[in-house]
Amino acid sequence: MNKITMSVGSGGASTRSFVSDIIFSRLGNEILNKASDSAILDVSSKTAFTTDSYVVRPEFFPGGDIGKISICGTVNDLLVSGAVPKYLSFGLIVPEGYLVSDLERILDSMAAECRKAGVKVVCGDTKVVEKGAVDGLIINTSGIGDAVYNYTDVSNIKEGDAVIITSDIARHGMSVMLARGELGFEGEILSDCACLLDIFESIAGMNVKFARDATRGGVAAVLNEIASDCGLGFLMKESDIPIHENVGYLCDMLGFDPLAVANEGLAVIIVEQGEAEAVLEKIKNCESGKRASVCGIVEGKNVVLETAIGGKRHIEMPSGELLPRIC
Amino acid sequence: MNKITMSVGSGGASTRSFVSDIIFSRLGNEILNKASDSAILDVSSKTAFTTDSYVVRPEFFPGGDIGKISICGTVNDLLVSGAVPKYLSFGLIVPEGYLVSDLERILDSMAAECRKAGVKVVCGDTKVVEKGAVDGLIINTSGIGDAVYNYTDVSNIKEGDAVIITSDIARHGMSVMLARGELGFEGEILSDCACLLDIFESIAGMNVKFARDATRGGVAAVLNEIASDCGLGFLMKESDIPIHENVGYLCDMLGFDPLAVANEGLAVIIVEQGEAEAVLEKIKNCESGKRASVCGIVEGKNVVLETAIGGKRHIEMPSGELLPRIC
C-alpha cells in the first residue's frame, strides 16, 4: 500500500491490517496491542489529564514534524502541571491518498519521542476522510500522568518571585513561518520542538511555584494569563530574555513581537527568588535548557517589559490572528 | 460573533473569551474552568483510557449530531470495557467561518449527553484552521473511567456462551446515509446514537464475560474480531437479530448487509448461557435496550449465520470501503 485508502478507516479487515502493520509495529506495546475499546492502566490516584490537537503546516519543518510535536506538546502539558507523564492516546485524521511513507515517517517520530519521554501510547483511533476533506494529517494526543507536584496553582505566586524562561524564545513560530516558503527568501530556523522531561526531572522537589509552557500566544500570553489569574504582574528584563540572533532579526523584519510567537520546547517557571539561581543551574545542565535565563520578577499588577535601552512598555495579551496552524 | 475567526485559535485574547463565553458556559465545571495545562483528577488506581475522533457528515442527523456522538461513542467505549465513565477531554478542529450557532448547538448536545452519562469534561483544546482546510467540524474526545469490571478479556469466553445484541442493528449507518440526501428519495431513519450507561449499570455485577460496542464495521466486525482473538466461533440466528423493518428494507434495496452497518448505541455482550435470560431482562428494562435479544451462541471456529429460511452462511469480516464518515 503506497497511499491511504478509505477502507483503512472502515473498521473492517483493512483497518485491522493497517493498525497492526503500520501502527503497532511502531507504537505498539503490551497494552496498545490488545486493541481493546479502552486501555486498562495502573495509575496514581492523583492523575493529570490533558489533550491537544495538532494541525501544524507544513507537516515537516526544521527540527520536527507533526508527529514529534504531537508527543512533545502533550508530554510538556503534563510536565508543566507537575505530573510524571505515563500514557498517551492518539487520534489520527488522514485524508484518502495520503502517502503511507509520510505517515510512517511521522509515526517513527512519535515513537522516538515516546521513548525519550518515557511514555507509552496505549490507545488510538484512525479516521480516513475523502481526499480534500482535510488538507493533510491531523493528530490528537491526550495524556495521563502521575500528579506528583503542583505547578498549576497561581495562589502560590508571590511578589518578588523570579521568572525563569527555559530556552530562547520564538524559534518554533519563526521556523514554521520560514518553512512555509511564503516569505520570498531562503533560510532555515530550527524549531525548539522538544520534550522538557530532562528539565522537569532535574528540578523535581525544588521550590517550583508555577509552570506553564509557552506555545500559541508565546511568553506574552502565558505571562498575561498568569497575571489575570493571580492578580499580580511581572517586570521582565528584555536584555535577559534569550533569543537567537536570526530569530530576533526575522521577527523585527516581519514586525512580529517575539514574545508573542509560539514556542514548542519552552516553559515559563516561577520560583522563589532565593532559589532562582539553583533552579537555573539545574535547568542549564539539561539538553533542552542550555539557554535558560532568569529574566523577570513578579511585581506590581501589570505585565511590563524593561527594554534593552531602559524604557518600559506593557507586554500585551496577544490579540488577532498571529500565526495560524503553528502547532 | 456570528462566525468563528482565525483569532479564536490564536492562543491570545480571543481564545480566552471564546473558551469562557462559548465553552465554559456549556461544558464548564470546577475542574475545566481552571483552564490549566492539565486537569488534576482523583481516579481509581485501575483506570480505563480511550480515545476517538469524530468526523461524521452531515454533522446533524436524525437522532443526533457530531456532538452527541462524540460523547456517547467515548462513554460507550469505557462502558463496554467494564469501566464507570468519569472524565472526558475534547479537542475541536473548527474551520474559519463556521457558524457559532451551529457550534453552540453541538456543544449543547455534548453538555446534555455528559449530564446523562454522569461524566465531566475536564480538559480541552480548540484549533481553528483556514476555511476549506477541513470540510466542517472535527471532534476528538478521550475518556477516563474507573475500571471496575473486566469485559475485555476474550479468554473468559467459552463454547456455549450466549450472545446478546442490545438493540436493533444498522440504524445509525442507514440514518446517516439517508440524511446525506444522495439516494434520490426522501425519508428519515432515527440513529440509535445513545449512551449505554443505563444498560451497563443494570447488569453490573452479573456474569458478563465480554462486551464490545458495534460501531464501524457493525456486528459483523465485532464478532469476527472476537473470533479471531479467542479462537472460537459464533452461530448467530438471523430471525433473532433485531432489525427495524425500514432499516432492513433500505439495506436490502442498497445491497448492504445490515450486520456490517455501523451502530452508535449497540453493544454485543457475551454471557454464560444460564444467565442469558436474566441479563436480557435487565437490559430490556433500559431505555436503550428495549429491543435487545439473545441471538447467538459461541460455537465452533467460524462466524456463521443461520438464515431466516434455515440455511447457513459465513458472516465475513467487512472489507472495502463500507460507509465512510459514519462516526
Side-chain angles (χ1 to χ4, degrees):
Chain A
M1 186 170 64
N2 289 324
K3 293 183 174 184
I4 296 292
T5 60
M6 288 305 287
S7 64
V8 163
S10 66
S14 314
T15 307
R16 262 174 89 94
S17 63
F18 167 81
V19 165
S20 101
D21 298 348
I22 311 282
I23 306 277
F24 288 178
S25 61
R26 291 176 172 80
L27 299 174
N29 55 63
E30 71 289 359
I31 304 172
L32 183 67
N33 294 4
K34 282 186 183 159
S36 294
D37 288 294
S38 307
I40 307 299
L41 308 171
D42 294 311
V43 298
S44 155
S45 61
K46 275 274 182 238
T47 281
F49 183 29
T50 190
T51 194
D52 254 315
S53 300
Y54 300 88
V55 297
V56 62
R57 297 292 179 267
E59 294 164 357
F60 300 92
F61 49 83
D65 58 44
I66 191 171
K68 181 178 180 187
I69 211 173
S70 76
I71 304 298
C72 295
T74 295
V75 162
N76 289 345
D77 278 343
L78 292 171
L79 288 167
V80 296
S81 306
V84 177
K86 296 281 290 278
Y87 302 112
L88 299 184
S89 70
F90 73 94
L92 301 178
I93 315 280
V94 197
E96 181 185 11
Y98 195 85
L99 283 179
V100 171
S101 56
D102 279 353
L103 185 59
E104 289 176 330
R105 203 175 138 198
I106 288 165
L107 290 166
D108 284 336
S109 274
M110 294 175 75
E113 218 50 43
C114 283
R115 279 190 295 274
K116 277 193 215 164
V119 295
K120 280 180 183 166
V121 168
V122 292
C123 54
D125 171 57
T126 302
K127 293 285 189 301
V128 181
V129 298
E130 314 86 309
K131 194 177 283 200
V134 304
D135 67 351
L137 193 67
I138 293 176
I139 304 179
N140 175 285
T141 50
S142 299
I144 286 181
D146 293 345
V148 180
Y149 304 101
N150 180 357
Y151 301 158
T152 62
D153 186 356
V154 290
S155 72
N156 292 329
I157 302 170
K158 301 279 175 265
E159 187 99 18
D161 286 343
V163 179
I164 297 175
I165 291 181
T166 64
S167 190
D168 55 309
I169 63 171
R171 259 204 287 141
H172 178 68
M174 287 300 109
S175 167
V176 169
M177 187 93 214
L178 209 49
R180 284 182 190 157
E182 295 160 356
L183 299 176
F185 54 85
E186 310 246 324
E188 190 175 288
I189 288 173
L190 211 60
S191 164
D192 64 339
C193 179
C195 157
L196 301 175
L197 181 68
D198 54 354
I199 289 181
F200 281 88
E201 279 187 340
S202 78
I203 62 174
M206 299 187 84
N207 193 8
V208 173
K209 298 188 153 197
F210 189 90
R212 181 162 287 175
D213 59 336
T215 57
R216 283 183 288 175
V219 170
V222 168
L223 293 176
N224 277 281
E225 282 165 13
I226 301 171
S228 137
D229 290 346
C230 78
L232 291 167
F234 295 95
L235 177 63
M236 304 297 295
K237 214 168 162 187
E238 190 174 32
S239 56
D240 290 339
I241 296 174
I243 183 165
H244 189 286
E245 194 185 0
N246 291 347
V247 174
Y249 175 73
L250 187 62
C251 284
D252 265 359
M253 204 172 63
L254 299 172
F256 284 110
D257 177 359
L259 283 167
V261 173
N263 313 280
E264 282 296 333
L266 182 153
V268 174
I269 299 180
I270 300 177
V271 298
E272 182 121 348
Q273 190 61 245
E275 212 170 1
E277 285 305 320
V279 172
L280 181 66
E281 199 191 317
K282 294 273 191 191
I283 295 174
K284 285 177 82 81
N285 281 327
C286 299
E287 182 60 33
S288 60
K290 288 189 194 311
R291 302 203 59 192
S293 166
V294 177
C295 48
I297 188 169
V298 177
E299 185 184 291
K301 300 285 174 201
N302 298 310
V303 183
V304 175
L305 183 74
E306 186 184 308
T307 64
I309 54 168
K312 283 189 179 175
R313 69 164 174 90
H314 283 277
I315 300 174
E316 306 288 346
M317 183 68 166
S319 63
E321 215 181 286
L322 307 176
L323 292 169
R325 309 202 57 185
I326 217 70
C327 61
Chain B
M1 187 171 64
N2 290 323
K3 294 184 174 184
I4 296 292
T5 60
M6 288 306 286
S7 65
V8 163
S10 67
S14 314
T15 306
R16 261 172 93 92
S17 62
F18 166 82
V19 165
S20 99
D21 298 348
I22 312 280
I23 307 275
F24 287 178
S25 60
R26 290 174 174 81
L27 299 174
N29 55 63
E30 72 287 1
I31 305 172
L32 184 67
N33 295 3
K34 282 187 184 158
S36 294
D37 288 295
S38 307
I40 307 298
L41 309 171
D42 294 310
V43 299
S44 156
S45 60
K46 274 276 182 236
T47 280
F49 183 30
T50 189
T51 194
D52 254 317
S53 300
Y54 300 88
V55 296
V56 62
R57 296 292 181 267
E59 294 164 357
F60 300 92
F61 50 82
D65 59 43
I66 191 171
K68 181 178 181 187
I69 211 174
S70 76
I71 304 298
C72 295
T74 295
V75 163
N76 289 345
D77 278 343
L78 293 170
L79 288 168
V80 297
S81 306
V84 177
K86 296 282 291 276
Y87 303 112
L88 299 184
S89 70
F90 74 94
L92 300 178
I93 315 280
V94 197
E96 182 186 10
Y98 195 84
L99 282 178
V100 172
S101 56
D102 279 354
L103 184 59
E104 289 176 329
R105 204 174 138 200
I106 288 164
L107 290 166
D108 284 337
S109 273
M110 293 175 74
E113 218 48 43
C114 283
R115 281 191 294 274
K116 276 192 217 165
V119 294
K120 281 181 183 165
V121 169
V122 293
C123 55
D125 171 57
T126 302
K127 293 285 188 306
V128 181
V129 298
E130 314 88 308
K131 194 177 284 200
V134 304
D135 66 352
L137 193 67
I138 293 176
I139 304 179
N140 175 284
T141 49
S142 300
I144 286 180
D146 294 344
V148 181
Y149 305 102
N150 180 358
Y151 301 159
T152 63
D153 186 355
V154 291
S155 73
N156 291 328
I157 301 170
K158 300 280 176 266
E159 187 100 18
D161 286 343
V163 179
I164 296 175
I165 291 181
T166 63
S167 189
D168 55 309
I169 64 171
R171 260 203 286 141
H172 178 69
M174 288 300 109
S175 168
V176 169
M177 188 93 215
L178 209 50
R180 283 182 191 159
E182 293 161 356
L183 298 177
F185 54 87
E186 309 246 324
E188 191 175 285
I189 287 172
L190 210 60
S191 165
D192 62 340
C193 181
C195 157
L196 301 176
L197 182 68
D198 54 354
I199 290 180
F200 281 88
E201 280 187 340
S202 78
I203 63 173
M206 299 186 83
N207 193 8
V208 172
K209 298 187 153 198
F210 190 90
R212 180 162 287 175
D213 59 335
T215 56
R216 283 183 290 176
V219 170
V222 168
L223 293 176
N224 276 281
E225 281 165 14
I226 302 172
S228 136
D229 289 345
C230 77
L232 290 167
F234 294 96
L235 178 63
M236 304 298 294
K237 215 169 161 186
E238 190 174 34
S239 55
D240 290 338
I241 297 175
I243 184 166
H244 189 286
E245 194 185 1
N246 291 348
V247 174
Y249 174 73
L250 187 62
C251 284
D252 265 0
M253 204 172 64
L254 299 172
F256 284 111
D257 177 358
L259 283 167
V261 172
N263 313 280
E264 281 296 333
L266 181 154
V268 174
I269 299 180
I270 299 176
V271 298
E272 181 121 349
Q273 188 61 246
E275 211 170 1
E277 284 307 319
V279 172
L280 180 67
E281 200 192 317
K282 294 273 190 192
I283 295 175
K284 285 177 82 82
N285 280 328
C286 298
E287 184 60 34
S288 59
K290 288 189 195 309
R291 301 203 61 191
S293 166
V294 177
C295 48
I297 187 170
V298 177
E299 187 184 289
K301 299 284 174 201
N302 299 311
V303 184
V304 175
L305 184 73
E306 187 184 308
T307 65
I309 52 166
K312 284 188 180 175
R313 69 164 176 90
H314 282 279
I315 300 174
E316 305 288 347
M317 185 67 166
S319 63
E321 215 179 286
L322 307 176
L323 293 170
R325 306 199 62 181
I326 218 67
C327 60

